Each structure stands twice: as C-alpha cells, then as structure tokens.
Amino acid sequence: MSLAQLAVKVECSNNASPQTDERSWPRSSTTSVSPQPPSTAAQSIAPLTQGGGQTSSDDVDVAHQWVSRIKRKYKSCITGEAVVAARAARFAPMPDLDPRLQAALRARGITQLYSHQAEAWAALRDGADIVVATPTASGKTLCFNGPVLDAALKSGAKAMYLFPTKALAQDQVAELLELNRAEDLGVRAYTFDGDTPSDARQAVRTKGDVVVTNPDMLHQAILPHHTKWAQFFSALRFIVIDEVHTYRGVFGSHVANVLRRLHRVCAFYGVRPQIICCSATIGNPREHATELVGRPMRAILNSGAPSGEQHLLFWNPPPINPDLGIRASARSQVSKLARLAVKAGLKSILFAQSRLMVEVLTKYLKDIFDRDPRKPARVRAYRGGYLPDERRLTEKLMRAGAIDAIVSTSALELGVDIGALDVSLLCGYPGSVAATRQRLGRAGRRQQTAVGVLVAGSDALDQFVVRNPQYFLEQSPEHARIDKEQLLILLDHIRCASFELPFSENDTFGERDVREFLDYLVDEGVLHRNGSRWHWIDDSYPANAVSLRSVADGNFVVVDRTGGKQTILAEVDFSSAALTLYEGAIYMIQSIPWQVEKLDWTGRKAYVTRTHVDYYTDAIDYTRLKPLSQFESAKSRCGEAQLGEVHVVRRVAGYKKIRYYSHENIGYGPVNLPDQELQTTALWWRVEPGALDEAFPMRFEALDGFLGASYALHTVATLLSMCEPRDLGKAVGSGDSEWSATVSGKGRGELRNAAGEPVDLQAMAEFSPAVYLYDNYPGGIGQSRPLYERRQELLSGALNLVRNCRCSAGCPACVGPILQSDEQRQPKASALKVLGLLVA
Amino acid sequence: MHGIADQPNPSSATLAHRLGLLRGRDVRPASPDSDIAQRIARLKLLATEARPSTPRGDGRLPGETIAPGLVLIERKLGALQALKLRLDLPETLLPDWHEHNPVPRERLLFFDTETSGLNGGAGLKVFMLGVLRWRDGWTLKQYILSDPDGEGALVEAWLAEVSDQPVLVSYNGKRFDIPALATLERLHGESSGAAEFAHWDLLYPVRRRFRKVWPNCRLQTAERLLLNKHRVDDMPGSEAPRAWRDFLRFGHTHALLEIARHNRSDLESLIALLRQIGTHGPWTLP
Ligand SMILES: [Zn+2]
C-alpha cells in the first residue's frame, strides 16, 4: 500500500481514482515507516529488475540530510513539495513451479514473491489476461518471466515479448539468459529486430522459446510472413506487451490494430495466447490495456515491493528579468543541483529533453568531476545514438555503483536496469505527469530516502506546472487514449490483414465488421472477391507502406544538404508539414536549429542546412473551421461549448522570427503554400455577440483576448491529453468559417476572409468569434472528446495559467509572446476576460 | 467488354466518400460536399492502374477445370520439336554435384511458378505452376488459378506432383519458388517437404561460372549466351502480376496465356540448360 504524506506548501486532497490510488503521489494519510521486511533468507529478495547498486551508509540517511539542506538554502526557488512515505514489502509464498526454475530463482536470491507478482501468477493460472501497473523497479518482469519460463519448461510453450525500444528488448533477453544460465534451463530467448542478421532469423523462428521484438517488426516482418513462423505461432501461449503506456495516440492506435492482426494470425494457427501487459503509472491502465489488446483485462495495481521515502521538489529558476518573464536556465539549476548531490556522495540521474542538452550537461559536470583523465569517469552520458556496447557498459557501471552522475534523455525513462539511485533531476518538464513520475521514480531505494527535483524551463507548459504544483499533484496521471477505429489507420491495417489471410464473409477484425472496407479495397483493385471470400491479388507488400507513427501517407522527409551530400534527418507528418517546414522556417531537431531552404511540396521533401541564427520561427496561419456536425453541446456563462466534426482549411501566410530569450519579434517572412484541408473532430467555444460587446468596448481587445485564450487553452490541453503540442491544433475564427484570425507579423490580431483578404474588424455587422481546439490528424485521433468532457478543468487550468503568470501584459508562458513596443495592449487581461466568459 | 470495377461498388461508396473527405487535404476546391463524385473518381484514378493496351482475349482459358478455381493445361512435346529445342537429355544423369546414384530422366521434375508479385510474404499468390517431366516424352502441365479460391486445389496438385520425391530442377527455385510454395502449403495446413528434396537450382552453377563475365545471370541471358536461344514476342515475367489481375478483374485472357507461353519457354530452357551444363560442366552446384 502506498502511504503518502504531503508536506509543507501544498495541500492535497485524496482525489485519486480507485484504480490508481496505489501510485498517486499525495495521500493525506500517514503511517510509520515499516521496518525490515520479514524475510528470513540471508540474501535480499531483490526483484530481478533491481541490480545491486551501492547503498550509502545504513545509519545516516544522506539523501534526507541533503534534501533538508537544499530546501533551507534555496527556499525561493522551490514552488512546491510532496513527500511519499516509505512502504514496506509484502510477500507471498512461491507457488508450485518447475523445480529447475525454482532452483534458478533461488540462485538469484528469490525465494518468495512480492504480493503483486503472486497475484499476477495466480491470475494467469486462472487463464486471465492481465495488466500489471506497479511502480518502476517493483519487479514487474518477474510477473511474466516466471509463468513464461515455467510453461516453457513444463510444456514447451512459447512466448512473444513486445517492447517499444531495442534497448529494452536486449535488456530483457540478457535477463532471461542470466536466469537461464543459473540453472541451465535450456530455454532459448532471442531478440528479433532490424539488427538480427538474416542468417540468424531462421533459428529465431524455429528455435526460439521466447522471441523479443517490437511492434514495428511485428507489423512489417513477422505478421506478413507468418507462415515462416508457423511452428512458433502454433506453440505460442503468452504475449507480453511491456510499457503499454507508450502505446497511445497515433502510435497506440496503430499498435492496437497490429494486435488485431496478431490475434487473427494466432486464431489461424489454432492458439489463443494469454496476454500480459505492463504499464507505468497512467490513470487508466486497465481500460487502456483492454482497448489496446481488444480483450477484457484483469488489472494488478497494488505493489508489494518496498520503497524508501521519496521527496519531490518543484523548482523554478530565479528570475533575471521579471517583466519579460526571463529566468535563469533550467540547465544552470540542474548542473548546480547535480554538483551538490555528487559532492554529498549521492548517485544522481539527470534527465534532459534533447541529446544536445545531454552533451552540454555532461560536459559541464565532467569539467568538475572528471578532470583527471587517469581516474575512471564519474560522470557519463546515455542516450539514443550511442552504440549499444557503449550503452551496455554504462548500464553495467551504473549497476556496480561506479558512476556518480548519469545524464540521459528519455532513453532511460523506461525500464532499463541501472541499479539504485538517490537523486533524479529533471531539466524541464517531460510533457506529461506520467513521464514525470516515471523519471522521478528512477531515484528510489528500498530503505533510503530518494529525491526528485523537477526544474522548469521557460516555455509555457513548464511554467504552468511549476507555478501550479498542486495542479500537477492533484491530478491523477493522464489517461492514455487510442482510437483504433480511426478510419485511415483502420483501413491501413485491414489492407495488411487481407494480405496476411483472406477475409471470409463472417470474419470480423477485432469486433469490427469490415465488409464495407473489403469492398472498398476490391474497388481499389487490391482485393478480389469470390462469393464469400476476399483475396489479396495486388503485387505490393502493404505493410511497407504503413508507418506506425503517422496517420496519412505522404510524410515529408527533412533532408540535410550541407556540404553537397544529402542526408535524411527526420520525417514529418503531413498534417504538421505546412506549419513547420515552410521555406525560411527554423526546424529544430534535438535542439539543433536547421533552416529550411527549399520545400518540394509535391515531392514531400524539405531541404535544410545547419544554421546558427538567434531566433526561432512561428508560422502565421489562418485556419478556418467549419462545423459539419455537432455531437455535443453545453451552455456556458455567455455562450456555449461544442464538440463536433469540422472541416479545417489552413493557410500558412507567413512566419514570424522571434528572438530567443527576449521573445522579441524581429522580422517577418512570406510563405506561399497550397491550402491544407483536413476533416477532423474539434471542440470549440462561442460567446454571444451581445455579451462580448458588453465585456469589450473595443473589438480588437476581444480579439486579443480570444487569441490569448486559445494559446493558454492549447497549452493546458496538451498537458491534459498527454500529447505533443503539434497533435492538437488551435484556431480563432467565426463559427461559420467566414473569417479566421491570427497574431500577425506585427504582433497584432488580424482577420482574413476565405479569399485571404484582410477583414475590417470594426466594419463587421456582427462579431462572433469562436475558439477551437482540434485533432491535428485527418479523421481525428480521439483527443477532442475527452477534452470536451474535461472542459471545466481545461478552462480553470487556462485561467490559472494566465492569472498566476508574473509577466505584466503577456508572455510566452501564458498568452503568447507580445512585442516589447506594444505594451499598451493588454492581451493578458483580455484573455482572462474571455476565459471568464467561457466558463460554465 | 466492361469490367466489374468500372462501377464503384455501391456498399463501399459511403466509405469511399468518407475517405475521400479525409484525404482531400491539399485539394484546392474547398467545399466538402460539392464534388464527392469527383473525389471518388480521383481516388479511383490513383488506385487503379491504366488499362492494358494488349488484346483482351475471349475470356476463356483452354485446358480442363480440374477443381473449382483451378485449370490444368497439359500437353506432350513432340519428339521432333524436342530435338529442335535441344531437349534430348540422356536416360540417366550423373552430374558432378549429385553424389548419389545415377538419376533416371523420369525422376527429374522441372518446375517454375508465376506469382502475383515478387515481395514474398503470406499475400503472395502463386497463380501458375508449370511442371515438366519425362513420361515417354516431355509432358508439360501448367496449373493456373482461375480464381484465388482454387489455391487449396493447387496445393493438392503440387503435393501429388512431388509425392514420388523427385529431383527438382529450377532456376532460382531455392530462394523463390520453393519458399513461395511452402507459404501456400502452410496456409493450407500441408507440407510437401520439397524444401528438403534434392534440388538442382541451375542459377548457382551459372552464376558461379559467368558472374564476372555476363552483365547478369538471368535465365534469358543464359539462354542467349549459352543456348543461342532468342525469344520472339515473349511477354516478360514482370508482366505476370498484372496479367493475372486483369484476368481476375476484367476477364482478359490474352496476357495470361502469353505468360503461360513464357512459363513454358522457361521450363524448356531449363532442360536445355541442364543438358548444356552436363555436357560442358562440371560447374558444381553449391
Ligand atoms: Zn505571462
């Protein structure tokens, strides 16, 4: 049972949902820290995921002393704090296992199970499909490795493990092999990914007892070639899907359909494997896994693993220029904290948002701690892009306790085993409550205090979180959402499924009747219908044309042609290409700025070169939305909120150049691109014209207010839906698509009509603007409805964001950047007024 | 003759409509409702390949329908013709690479498939299987799927053909035809074991011997440079997927029968090539 106590500045109520109470941070109950676990075994009952990191002295809780000191010394930077009390272990006896497995576990020090592991095993014995959602390092892997190995030994059962990344897959295989070696179990575990050499693939297919792979390989290599895997599928009894919280949004919607294909292929071979999902902390683990897998899942949420006390600090860097909202950088604060932690003898992990930032932080710390090249390094970096061997070495050194500070990107957020750590420092808000908890959870020992510090950066989301810590703490973690019925995604996978096995009249895809889709594919010429069966007759390999990370085909590639060579740097979804890849745009890849020199719209290519300018660019887009149908609506104070299907026409007319730090608008460039059309779902608010005229004597003020409100609502909506900012669009326009508004290159709100001509605000007979938030993918991806349902939260979040911002007239952290020369305008006050009108 | 796909399928019209709307993203005309028919047409235009300009044929395949969806065209090659094509193999063969006993001519099974594509995978259809064996003279059997549902019968026919565990002779059969047939077998819950049979894949000796000399080692290159055989009006194998699709969708038989002729020509070349290799070898198989 997680018994959490909230201290000092933040008052929190226990409002977590029953599903998630286990892992919510703040609980307003108290209990004493439990003593040593009642284990009689001499060896510790270490879960497999937890290596033997060096602990500090048992007598003195160094981390506890450290956090107290920090709190005293830097009081003004700390905007909030939470404490999660220590938690004792709960054990359960080892069930009846194959004796060889029992011996192997014993050799690794495991003689009993944590209660959640035992619960998982029992559920699997009942034949249930399960989702295990317990904290980092609670021994989740044993929940599936135990039953899988037991079945492999007893009956030759096979298992497929799906991990979102290669590093995790390799970890898992290493762990299985280690367990295997302990007692020479003879169970064969292999990874199967893009790096598996073709001459080894045959052995993986025919000899593997456990095949560890990822959704992309399953989609592109395994399912389309399932006949080569016939032997494997025929004996498949378990499918393990780890880190299911990462399967959300577009990617998750694809993966859910890949799993529908997997179920279909399994049924063809006459098997119905049990599914074991594991998830980090999200608000809806059972619901999400059920939706993803397409079967009812039993949820295991109560961890029996012990943990020490955890402190969480919210840290806002001190202001440098309060009027403009400029603060010291997050990087400077994180370096300082890391330096103090290392000096105190604590092991730290630093999370940075980009690879570049990892390098900068690493260099800074190395300059202090690794000056003598003859001594082994105390500071190391870890990120994607490093060679696997190098990463393995770092992991090994971490587990051995040989490193004092490790600097990482999100690569280490997931369950890679790096041993126990004392301090977790987050350089910037990772974008979601779940990811924040995951990263903070990287620090944690079974007996000692662990400290997590979230250091805010300067952008709107970071500032919102750090200024409203209670908002973060009160919030149950985000709900992972997918939309597996998304029309284009669904069609893609029905295409792939038809290639894999012909559909018959009575077949469904998941629960879905797909005859309409099959007939569509007949018209397209890729299927042939004979009476009751649809056969694939095309010469293509459809999985090659489907990327699990985008909705529509026609992704743009970003090509570097510095120095005459052409290198592909990134892929950009069609939906966001016009907003990010116009000629002149500064396009950031891993915090490194590139400039778009040429955009080949039809060829779907953007040519970029490395640049060193001191500004970023922001598209000026006029986006008109026309509601096509309305699903829901509700009265608000002076208007109404609505949810519906919309037709979006977006024209990027130009872009602003905005200087870093000062956010000064330093120039303007024109853009000439075709209009993009998009049909999707949206939620929007309108205000009665009368009420609006009453609230605002000047229309331009009302317009400023709407534009500022849309900016703040977009920020908070991104936070609520656990999505990337580009996944959601925002717009201000008339309800009938007559005109749309944007902040122009001159920093003022401007209106344009459908023909792109300026509209005179004062001359309009009736001024009835609406503010829209829409799913930025054709067909939508299921974000708008939950946002509509949580619209009060959304509005009060936006009100808090703007109201609590310390800027005077408006800034990038609240209503968007404003011109320094233009401070007689009050977009901040206007936005507050508009948000007030929208509240129910 | 008018194809079935000329008319949009009525039940999928609404779906096509919705997809059209979703995809109409950078299409200039703005109104979502006005030009549905146009959009569907545009979708169709993208999806449907240009019609073949070759003759369409009379819609009927020669030969015998031996099971629903499966047609067999069988013919014996006249002795004179066989001589002309240099198909005069000795009664027993003992090539260098075959370490066992001499192989009687009757045990050889020359085979070649035509498929719906080249990418492999479970969706690849083998729509034509040509088998050439010595049965008091060369006997050619060509199995053609007149409907994809005939696939089960095709698998059965293949199993029957190889039930005596013949020595297989092919050109690139080890990497392409046998895996494609194995996929079909699995899909129909069968297993011929053909992957384990003695298999003389003539691509390997040819490649070993001529890789550095010839521009490529395709069968037709070997024909030209080794056998001095020049095909006339041959429809290239790359046209095979389209020929079969046009047959299924529009009932065009002409191209499909051209592919059958191509298939037969490939098989004849296999015999001649084996004879040549036997005479001028040893080139060794891998
Ligand atoms: Zn502000």
Side-chain angles (χ1 to χ4, degrees), chain A residues 10 50 59 143 194 606 646 671 691 699 821:
Chain A
V10 183
Q50 197 149 314
D59 308 317
C143 293
V646 292
V671 172
R699 280 184 177 173
S821 56

Side-chain angles (χ1 to χ4, degrees), chain A residues 224 227 523 530 535 539 677, chain B residues 9 12 25 27 122 147 149 186:
Chain A
T227 52
D523 288 351
N530 169 296
H535 286 273
D539 58 355
E677 293 185 47
Chain B
N9 191 319
S12 67
R25 37 193 190 203
V27 181
D147 186 281
D149 256 352
R186 291 247 172 81

Side-chain angles (χ1 to χ4, degrees), chain A residues 310-444:
Chain A
Q310 275 181 292
H311 288 248
L312 165 61
L313 303 181
F314 289 81
W315 188 288
N316 207 0
I320 293 172
N321 180 343
D323 279 349
L324 294 175
I326 301 173
R327 292 173 171 272
S329 69
R331 177 187 46 75
S332 68
Q333 306 292 294
V334 166
S335 329
K336 179 165 71 186
L337 287 164
R339 200 176 65 227
L340 294 171
V342 172
K343 284 191 171 150
L346 299 168
K347 308 278 183 215
S348 309
I349 181 164
L350 285 67
F351 283 103
Q353 303 290 68
S354 70
R355 294 178 178 195
L356 180 69
M357 190 53 79
V358 166
E359 299 306 330
V360 171
L361 280 168
T362 308
K363 180 174 183 311
Y364 178 85
L365 291 175
K366 275 189 164 297
D367 284 348
I368 299 170
F369 294 108
D370 287 335
R371 265 176 304 194
D372 186 345
R374 289 162 301 180
K375 291 188 186 156
R378 298 169 70 187
V379 178
R380 286 186 84 95
Y382 184 105
R383 59 168 175 81
Y386 285 175
L387 295 173
D389 285 352
E390 197 176 345
R391 294 213 301 258
R392 294 295 95 76
L393 174 68
T394 305
E395 290 161 22
K396 214 171 120 200
L397 290 168
M398 286 299 294
R399 285 195 293 271
I403 295 175
D404 291 321
I406 185 165
V407 189
S408 173
T409 53
S410 59
L412 274 180
E413 178 186 306
L414 304 172
V416 178
D417 177 13
I418 46 164
L421 298 160
D422 302 295
V423 179
S424 174
L425 301 171
L426 275 57
C427 186
Y429 180 62
S432 75
V433 174
T436 307
R437 289 184 184 198
Q438 186 106 348
R439 292 183 189 189
L440 291 169
R442 270 310 194 164

Side-chain angles (χ1 to χ4, degrees), chain A residues 640-655:
Chain A
E640 61 182 340
Q642 288 171 315
L643 173 75
E645 196 167 23
V646 292
H647 186 76
V648 179
V649 183
R650 186 161 57 203
R651 174 173 300 168
V652 178
Y655 63 93

Side-chain angles (χ1 to χ4, degrees), chain A residues 805 807 810-811 814:
Chain A
C805 190
C807 66
C811 76
C814 58

Side-chain angles (χ1 to χ4, degrees), chain A residues 223-230 268-269 487-488 491-492 495 499-502 512 516-517 519-520 522-525 528 530 533 535-541 552-554 574 601 604 626 628 647 649 651 673-679 778-779, chain B residues 4-5 7-16 18-19 21-33 39 43-44 47-49 116-125 147-149 179 182-183 186-189 241 244-245 248-249:
Chain A
L223 291 173
H225 281 287
H226 64 85
T227 52
K228 290 185 181 165
W229 294 79
F268 176 76
Y269 291 99
L487 204 53
L488 298 176
L491 180 66
D492 275 345
R495 201 188 290 273
F499 178 88
E500 286 149 13
L501 289 166
R512 177 142 193 152
E516 195 187 359
F517 287 84
D519 286 339
Y520 176 82
V522 169
D523 288 351
E524 212 180 63
H528 177 75
N530 169 296
R533 273 154 76 84
H535 286 273
W536 183 263
I537 56 166
D538 197 48
D539 58 355
S540 62
Y541 185 88
D553 46 8
F574 185 93
W601 186 258
R604 301 281 193 263
K626 182 176 185 183
L628 299 173
H647 186 76
V649 183
R651 174 173 300 168
L673 284 178
D675 287 2
Q676 296 102 54
E677 293 185 47
L678 177 71
Q679 188 165 336
Chain B
I4 3 166
Q7 302 299 319
N9 191 319
S11 75
S12 67
T14 50
L15 180 68
R18 279 151 70 206
L19 289 166
L21 289 177
L22 291 184
R23 287 181 169 154
R25 37 193 190 203
D26 54 348
V27 181
R28 275 283 183 177
S31 159
D33 314 302
R39 285 184 181 205
L43 261 180
K44 290 273 173 294
T48 316
E49 30 191 73
S116 61
L118 294 171
N119 290 310
L124 180 78
K125 302 286 190 216
D147 186 281
D149 256 352
T183 296
R186 291 247 172 81
L187 283 172
H188 294 273
W244 188 55
R245 273 204 310 279
L248 292 178
R249 298 178 65 200

